[in-house]
Amino acid sequence: MQRAEVKGVETVLPAPASLEATGPADAARLRYQRERAAHWDEVARWQDTHKGWGGAYRRRLAELYRFFVPRGARVLEIGCAEGDLLAALEPSAGVGVDFSGEMLARAKAKHPNLRFVQADAHALALAGEQFDFIILSDVVNDLWDVQQVLQTLARLATPTTRLVINFYNRLWELPLGLARRLGLARPNLAQNWLTVEDMKGLLALADFEVIRHRAEVLLPLPLPPLSTLANRYLVKLWPFNLLALTHLLVARPLRTSSVRPRPRVSVVIPARNEAGNIAHIFARTPELGAGTELVFVEGGSQDDTYETIRRAITAHPARRCQLLKQTGKGKGDAVRLGFTHATGDVLMILDSDLTVPPEDLPRFLDVLTTGKADFANGSRLVYPMEREAMRFLNLLGNKFFSLAFAWLLGQPIKDTLCGTKVLWRSDYEAIAANRVYFGDFDPFGDFDLLFGAAKLNMKILDLPVRYRDRTYGTTNIQRWRHGWLLLRMVFFAARRIKFI
């Protein structure tokens, strides 16, 4: 490889000798790439005098990417063109890669604070660099070998990196071709018209796992309020979503098995009027990972729950415990208080009514430590329940809200209200840091975590559990009042997550 600095743009190109040694297959690929580079150089010059009708589409893409990519992230964009999308994301470190020198010269002039590299994405050499987000916006349609590019990018990713891709819907092949002939869109060469299934397969071959898929942009023209209605609302609904211009996928690297230290675990246990269950919690909660801490948060009980916990801690000096007195209201407030004081690498919630057995907690920990997901969510709606575990109307409500929230969050979540949820402390801290996006809206605590995890592109995985009858006390859930709160949350999530 040879490196050069041209007009402030770093250039990483194959050495001339390697080009002469190519065989017939490599020669075809080289012709393809040279043709593409020359074409996009010409498009850069074309854009100096032609605006086309693509501005509204690109502005909408920037809005969508800003939802998925937080400010201050380390961002790599492949096929960055003039760098406008990369700049719109306000990265702490932004690197744009393109093989068009004309595009990059304009990018550097427009965005001197960003770094631009002229290179072939099939053999991108950024030794030692890794990124929080890697973006391919409308570029996979133009690649010679999509799988090879994805495998190259995998070397620039950490286990927490997210790959964000959007590509044209094949149904738009004819309309876009017509727009280009009329001079209303940028000229283009023959494209790879990929389906969502094609891209999911290519990502799997490169050891990436798709977390979310969204159909976006129904009307790519500046025609408000009609374009706002079409692009923010209608495109999320069937059958309009079938006609979307672009598919947007978020994927994460599949973590390979590696030796890592066993994590310390904190089990946060909100407790209100649960004195009769405290002894069972101590007896049945196993030691996990490198050690387990029990964090009790007592919330204004009418029985002697607080004193019972205090006596139990004294009677079990070998167990690491904390006892906190809740000053706010609601389980959500109790969970946040417990997480703030917890010291473990992994944070767990265990409801003190023990309707989810503490003996199941090792399976939740396994989901995280094996990299199967970033967030383990208990699901009570898979196995048959014990007769008194959940009232019939509560069960119907849970099923309805599960379907609604799975659609809203873009991940298959069967049971939103199961109290047992497990995640890494570092991920919880990211959720808490971004809580301002949603605000303090959730008295339960479940949705604060689920919404936050979905917004930060974490992989959420349901873990089925056997839901048991209570053996002490009565539920704190008020069917109608809390049902109304859940319905309000559906509309809240729709506004903040789905219809953006």
Side-chain angles (χ1 to χ4, degrees):
M1 306 294 286
Q2 62 180 7
R3 291 179 180 266
E5 190 78 17
V6 179
K7 298 180 181 179
V9 175
E10 182 181 346
T11 305
V12 184
L13 298 171
S18 67
L19 300 182
E20 297 171 1
T22 56
D26 288 334
R29 168 176 157 176
L30 181 60
R31 285 194 302 272
Y32 183 93
Q33 292 169 335
R34 284 176 169 171
E35 180 186 40
R36 256 46 189 182
H39 167 76
W40 288 107
D41 283 346
E42 183 59 35
V43 170
R45 291 186 285 269
W46 179 88
Q47 290 181 162
D48 291 339
T49 56
H50 298 75
K51 295 302 180 184
W53 284 10
Y57 169 68
R58 289 188 287 276
R59 286 192 295 273
R60 178 58 180 158
L61 280 184
E63 290 178 357
L64 293 167
Y65 273 89
R66 282 195 294 267
F67 174 80
F68 289 104
V69 181
R71 293 177 182 176
R74 297 170 300 163
V75 182
L76 170 67
E77 183 184 4
I78 304 299
C80 66
E82 295 184 356
D84 295 333
L85 175 58
L86 183 61
L89 301 178
E90 301 180 45
S92 61
V95 179
V97 174
D98 206 295
F99 51 29
S100 168
E102 291 286 345
M103 286 288 187
L104 293 181
R106 288 158 175 77
K108 191 64 179 177
K110 292 172 70 175
H111 310 292
N113 58 313
L114 300 176
R115 176 184 168 201
F116 294 99
V117 179
Q118 185 179 5
D120 176 7
H122 295 78
L124 184 59
L126 298 173
E129 297 189 57
Q130 292 181 313
F131 299 88
D132 303 316
F133 290 87
I134 300 175
I135 292 172
L136 296 95
S137 178
D138 292 330
V139 71
V140 296
N141 303 80
D142 219 37
L143 296 176
W144 172 266
D145 188 332
V146 177
Q147 180 184 346
Q148 182 178 347
V149 170
L150 294 175
Q151 289 170 330
T152 298
L153 296 178
R155 295 194 289 270
L156 304 174
T158 72
T160 59
T161 296
R162 292 299 180 259
L163 189 64
V164 190
I165 303 173
N166 76 278
F167 55 98
Y168 293 127
N169 183 348
R170 190 161 196 165
L171 291 177
W172 280 74
E173 184 174 4
L174 182 61
L176 287 176
L178 179 60
R180 291 184 180 108
R181 290 191 193 97
L182 295 175
L184 302 177
R186 293 186 302 190
N188 221 335
L189 299 177
Q191 298 282 288
N192 307 318
W193 287 95
L194 304 167
T195 66
V196 174
E197 289 71 26
D198 292 334
M199 273 309 306
K200 287 182 176 180
L202 287 162
L203 286 162
L205 289 170
D207 291 327
F208 284 95
E209 174 187 26
V210 173
I211 299 173
R212 305 172 78 171
H213 164 229
R214 294 170 65 123
E216 296 289 353
V217 188
L218 187 61
L219 181 59
L221 298 174
L223 298 172
L226 185 59
S227 54
T228 301
L229 173 66
N231 296 330
R232 183 167 294 184
Y233 300 102
L234 294 182
V235 76
K236 308 299 193 305
L237 306 173
W238 185 90
F240 301 104
N241 59 343
L242 303 177
L243 304 176
L245 170 56
T246 192
H247 295 288
L248 193 150
L249 302 180
V250 180
R252 69 171 193 146
L254 285 172
R255 300 184 187 180
T256 56
S257 57
S258 59
V259 177
R260 58 186 300 170
R262 292 194 304 159
R264 295 173 296 110
V265 177
S266 292
V267 182
V268 173
I269 308 165
R272 181 171 179 267
N273 299 325
E274 302 287 0
N277 290 321
I278 302 306
H280 297 289
I281 291 171
F282 277 89
R284 295 171 55 187
T285 304
E287 286 290 330
L288 303 162
T292 299
E293 170 188 52
L294 303 180
V295 182
F296 292 91
V297 183
E298 193 280 324
S301 301
Q302 295 177 340
D303 63 9
D304 63 342
T305 297
Y306 185 88
E307 285 301 317
T308 301
I309 297 170
R310 189 184 59 78
R311 290 193 297 268
I313 291 174
T314 303
H316 296 83
R319 302 217 66 161
R320 294 193 304 120
C321 300
Q322 294 189 52
L323 173 55
L324 307 173
K325 186 74 173 177
Q326 185 180 359
T327 56
K329 293 183 179 181
K331 180 185 170 183
D333 177 80
V335 168
R336 288 190 287 274
L337 178 63
F339 279 5
T340 299
H341 287 81
T343 62
D345 307 303
V346 171
L347 304 178
M348 298 183 168
I349 306 171
L350 176 66
D351 281 350
S352 53
D353 59 13
L354 300 184
T355 50
V356 174
E359 293 84 356
D360 286 345
L361 293 180
R363 295 195 292 149
F364 284 85
L365 180 61
D366 182 69
V367 169
L368 265 62
T369 56
T370 57
K372 294 183 177 71
D374 308 301
F375 187 117
N377 179 60
S379 175
R380 305 162 296 172
L381 306 179
V382 175
Y383 299 128
M385 300 180 186
E386 294 185 359
R387 290 185 60 187
E388 301 300 324
M390 185 181 296
R391 291 175 290 184
F392 178 71
L393 288 179
N394 291 34
L395 177 62
L396 289 182
N398 271 299
K399 287 184 177 293
F400 166 77
F401 288 115
S402 297
L403 292 171
F405 284 113
W407 178 72
L408 290 169
L409 301 182
Q411 297 197 52
I413 300 171
K414 197 175 184 69
D415 185 1
T416 54
L417 284 175
C418 179
T420 306
K421 292 174 169 58
V422 177
L423 70 166
W424 293 101
R425 163 184 285 282
S426 56
D427 286 337
Y428 173 72
E429 289 172 348
I431 291 172
N434 287 275
R435 188 170 281 142
V436 66
Y437 181 79
F438 296 107
D440 185 8
F441 69 99
D442 176 18
F444 303 103
D446 301 284
F447 300 99
D448 175 69
L449 297 175
L450 288 170
F451 291 2
K455 174 69 171 65
L456 294 175
N457 304 304
M458 297 178 191
K459 172 64 182 296
I460 304 170
L461 185 64
D462 277 349
L463 197 159
V465 294
R466 293 271 181 182
Y467 195 50
R468 310 298 176 87
D469 291 339
R470 267 182 171 269
T471 58
Y472 175 87
T474 58
T475 180
N476 292 313
I477 295 294
Q478 299 177 33
R479 182 189 304 169
W480 300 111
R481 187 171 73 87
H482 288 157
W484 169 241
L485 282 173
L486 288 174
L487 191 59
R488 288 171 56 191
M489 284 186 205
V490 168
F491 291 105
F492 179 85
R495 188 173 67 253
R496 301 298 287 166
I497 296 177
K498 194 72 172 181
F499 301 118
I500 59 167

PDB file of all heavy atoms in Angstrom, residues 336-351:
ATOM      1  N   ARG A 336     -33.603   2.553  40.581  1.00  0.00           N
ATOM      2  CA  ARG A 336     -32.553   3.528  40.290  1.00  0.00           C
ATOM      3  C   ARG A 336     -31.689   3.796  41.524  1.00  0.00           C
ATOM      4  O   ARG A 336     -30.462   3.934  41.414  1.00  0.00           O
ATOM      5  CB  ARG A 336     -33.177   4.826  39.766  1.00  0.00           C
ATOM      6  CG  ARG A 336     -33.735   4.689  38.355  1.00  0.00           C
ATOM      7  CD  ARG A 336     -34.120   6.034  37.760  1.00  0.00           C
ATOM      8  NE  ARG A 336     -35.335   6.581  38.345  1.00  0.00           N
ATOM      9  CZ  ARG A 336     -36.560   6.298  37.926  1.00  0.00           C
ATOM     10  NH1 ARG A 336     -36.747   5.452  36.925  1.00  0.00           N
ATOM     11  NH2 ARG A 336     -37.614   6.853  38.495  1.00  0.00           N
ATOM     12  N   LEU A 337     -32.321   3.845  42.694  1.00  0.00           N
ATOM     13  CA  LEU A 337     -31.552   4.030  43.928  1.00  0.00           C
ATOM     14  C   LEU A 337     -30.612   2.845  44.153  1.00  0.00           C
ATOM     15  O   LEU A 337     -29.433   3.011  44.487  1.00  0.00           O
ATOM     16  CB  LEU A 337     -32.501   4.195  45.111  1.00  0.00           C
ATOM     17  CG  LEU A 337     -31.853   4.348  46.497  1.00  0.00           C
ATOM     18  CD1 LEU A 337     -31.013   5.618  46.556  1.00  0.00           C
ATOM     19  CD2 LEU A 337     -32.918   4.345  47.598  1.00  0.00           C
ATOM     20  N   GLY A 338     -31.129   1.629  43.976  1.00  0.00           N
ATOM     21  CA  GLY A 338     -30.308   0.442  44.169  1.00  0.00           C
ATOM     22  C   GLY A 338     -29.159   0.371  43.179  1.00  0.00           C
ATOM     23  O   GLY A 338     -28.019   0.047  43.549  1.00  0.00           O
ATOM     24  N   PHE A 339     -29.423   0.686  41.904  1.00  0.00           N
ATOM     25  CA  PHE A 339     -28.368   0.649  40.897  1.00  0.00           C
ATOM     26  C   PHE A 339     -27.294   1.696  41.181  1.00  0.00           C
ATOM     27  O   PHE A 339     -26.108   1.472  40.922  1.00  0.00           O
ATOM     28  CB  PHE A 339     -28.960   0.878  39.504  1.00  0.00           C
ATOM     29  CG  PHE A 339     -29.582  -0.360  38.889  1.00  0.00           C
ATOM     30  CD1 PHE A 339     -29.691  -1.541  39.591  1.00  0.00           C
ATOM     31  CD2 PHE A 339     -30.059  -0.317  37.591  1.00  0.00           C
ATOM     32  CE1 PHE A 339     -30.259  -2.669  39.019  1.00  0.00           C
ATOM     33  CE2 PHE A 339     -30.623  -1.437  36.993  1.00  0.00           C
ATOM     34  CZ  PHE A 339     -30.731  -2.622  37.713  1.00  0.00           C
ATOM     35  N   THR A 340     -27.699   2.838  41.711  1.00  0.00           N
ATOM     36  CA  THR A 340     -26.733   3.894  42.022  1.00  0.00           C
ATOM     37  C   THR A 340     -25.745   3.448  43.092  1.00  0.00           C
ATOM     38  O   THR A 340     -24.549   3.772  43.029  1.00  0.00           O
ATOM     39  CB  THR A 340     -27.469   5.164  42.488  1.00  0.00           C
ATOM     40  OG1 THR A 340     -28.312   5.626  41.432  1.00  0.00           O
ATOM     41  CG2 THR A 340     -26.482   6.264  42.857  1.00  0.00           C
ATOM     42  N   HIS A 341     -26.217   2.687  44.072  1.00  0.00           N
ATOM     43  CA  HIS A 341     -25.363   2.263  45.184  1.00  0.00           C
ATOM     44  C   HIS A 341     -24.699   0.906  44.948  1.00  0.00           C
ATOM     45  O   HIS A 341     -23.771   0.547  45.680  1.00  0.00           O
ATOM     46  CB  HIS A 341     -26.171   2.213  46.485  1.00  0.00           C
ATOM     47  CG  HIS A 341     -26.504   3.556  47.039  1.00  0.00           C
ATOM     48  ND1 HIS A 341     -27.551   4.323  46.585  1.00  0.00           N
ATOM     49  CD2 HIS A 341     -25.893   4.307  48.007  1.00  0.00           C
ATOM     50  CE1 HIS A 341     -27.600   5.464  47.251  1.00  0.00           C
ATOM     51  NE2 HIS A 341     -26.613   5.485  48.116  1.00  0.00           N
ATOM     52  N   ALA A 342     -25.158   0.160  43.956  1.00  0.00           N
ATOM     53  CA  ALA A 342     -24.596  -1.168  43.704  1.00  0.00           C
ATOM     54  C   ALA A 342     -23.150  -1.055  43.228  1.00  0.00           C
ATOM     55  O   ALA A 342     -22.766  -0.077  42.580  1.00  0.00           O
ATOM     56  CB  ALA A 342     -25.437  -1.891  42.657  1.00  0.00           C
ATOM     57  N   THR A 343     -22.342  -2.051  43.535  1.00  0.00           N
ATOM     58  CA  THR A 343     -20.915  -2.022  43.209  1.00  0.00           C
ATOM     59  C   THR A 343     -20.512  -3.071  42.186  1.00  0.00           C
ATOM     60  O   THR A 343     -19.355  -3.117  41.785  1.00  0.00           O
ATOM     61  CB  THR A 343     -20.072  -2.236  44.476  1.00  0.00           C
ATOM     62  OG1 THR A 343     -20.364  -3.536  45.028  1.00  0.00           O
ATOM     63  CG2 THR A 343     -20.379  -1.164  45.526  1.00  0.00           C
ATOM     64  N   GLY A 344     -21.446  -3.918  41.730  1.00  0.00           N
ATOM     65  CA  GLY A 344     -21.095  -5.013  40.842  1.00  0.00           C
ATOM     66  C   GLY A 344     -20.898  -4.585  39.397  1.00  0.00           C
ATOM     67  O   GLY A 344     -21.313  -3.500  38.977  1.00  0.00           O
ATOM     68  N   ASP A 345     -20.266  -5.465  38.623  1.00  0.00           N
ATOM     69  CA  ASP A 345     -20.101  -5.256  37.180  1.00  0.00           C
ATOM     70  C   ASP A 345     -21.395  -5.567  36.432  1.00  0.00           C
ATOM     71  O   ASP A 345     -21.637  -5.036  35.351  1.00  0.00           O
ATOM     72  CB  ASP A 345     -18.993  -6.165  36.637  1.00  0.00           C
ATOM     73  CG  ASP A 345     -17.692  -6.018  37.409  1.00  0.00           C
ATOM     74  OD1 ASP A 345     -17.195  -4.886  37.478  1.00  0.00           O
ATOM     75  OD2 ASP A 345     -17.198  -7.027  37.946  1.00  0.00           O
ATOM     76  N   VAL A 346     -22.194  -6.473  36.994  1.00  0.00           N
ATOM     77  CA  VAL A 346     -23.487  -6.838  36.427  1.00  0.00           C
ATOM     78  C   VAL A 346     -24.569  -6.447  37.414  1.00  0.00           C
ATOM     79  O   VAL A 346     -24.440  -6.686  38.619  1.00  0.00           O
ATOM     80  CB  VAL A 346     -23.556  -8.362  36.129  1.00  0.00           C
ATOM     81  CG1 VAL A 346     -24.963  -8.786  35.760  1.00  0.00           C
ATOM     82  CG2 VAL A 346     -22.584  -8.731  35.010  1.00  0.00           C
ATOM     83  N   LEU A 347     -25.636  -5.843  36.909  1.00  0.00           N
ATOM     84  CA  LEU A 347     -26.754  -5.409  37.748  1.00  0.00           C
ATOM     85  C   LEU A 347     -27.981  -6.263  37.444  1.00  0.00           C
ATOM     86  O   LEU A 347     -28.356  -6.425  36.280  1.00  0.00           O
ATOM     87  CB  LEU A 347     -27.074  -3.935  37.490  1.00  0.00           C
ATOM     88  CG  LEU A 347     -25.916  -2.946  37.683  1.00  0.00           C
ATOM     89  CD1 LEU A 347     -26.368  -1.535  37.341  1.00  0.00           C
ATOM     90  CD2 LEU A 347     -25.364  -3.017  39.097  1.00  0.00           C
ATOM     91  N   MET A 348     -28.601  -6.799  38.489  1.00  0.00           N
ATOM     92  CA  MET A 348     -29.791  -7.630  38.362  1.00  0.00           C
ATOM     93  C   MET A 348     -30.917  -7.042  39.203  1.00  0.00           C
ATOM     94  O   MET A 348     -30.663  -6.427  40.246  1.00  0.00           O
ATOM     95  CB  MET A 348     -29.533  -9.061  38.847  1.00  0.00           C
ATOM     96  CG  MET A 348     -28.486  -9.819  38.081  1.00  0.00           C
ATOM     97  SD  MET A 348     -28.355 -11.532  38.716  1.00  0.00           S
ATOM     98  CE  MET A 348     -27.360 -12.275  37.425  1.00  0.00           C
ATOM     99  N   ILE A 349     -32.154  -7.243  38.743  1.00  0.00           N
ATOM    100  CA  ILE A 349     -33.327  -6.921  39.552  1.00  0.00           C
ATOM    101  C   ILE A 349     -34.009  -8.224  39.928  1.00  0.00           C
ATOM    102  O   ILE A 349     -34.259  -9.075  39.055  1.00  0.00           O
ATOM    103  CB  ILE A 349     -34.322  -6.034  38.785  1.00  0.00           C
ATOM    104  CG1 ILE A 349     -33.646  -4.788  38.242  1.00  0.00           C
ATOM    105  CG2 ILE A 349     -35.492  -5.651  39.689  1.00  0.00           C
ATOM    106  CD1 ILE A 349     -34.523  -3.984  37.291  1.00  0.00           C
ATOM    107  N   LEU A 350     -34.299  -8.395  41.208  1.00  0.00           N
ATOM    108  CA  LEU A 350     -35.055  -9.552  41.676  1.00  0.00           C
ATOM    109  C   LEU A 350     -36.237  -9.042  42.489  1.00  0.00           C
ATOM    110  O   LEU A 350     -36.046  -8.368  43.515  1.00  0.00           O
ATOM    111  CB  LEU A 350     -34.180 -10.464  42.550  1.00  0.00           C
ATOM    112  CG  LEU A 350     -34.908 -11.663  43.178  1.00  0.00           C
ATOM    113  CD1 LEU A 350     -35.363 -12.652  42.110  1.00  0.00           C
ATOM    114  CD2 LEU A 350     -34.012 -12.350  44.206  1.00  0.00           C
ATOM    115  N   ASP A 351     -37.444  -9.337  42.036  1.00  0.00           N
ATOM    116  CA  ASP A 351     -38.619  -8.935  42.811  1.00  0.00           C
ATOM    117  C   ASP A 351     -38.676  -9.731  44.105  1.00  0.00           C
ATOM    118  O   ASP A 351     -38.518 -10.961  44.108  1.00  0.00           O
ATOM    119  CB  ASP A 351     -39.892  -9.171  41.992  1.00  0.00           C
ATOM    120  CG  ASP A 351     -40.123  -8.070  40.967  1.00  0.00           C
ATOM    121  OD1 ASP A 351     -39.411  -7.050  41.021  1.00  0.00           O
ATOM    122  OD2 ASP A 351     -41.005  -8.235  40.106  1.00  0.00           O
TER     123      ASP A 351
END
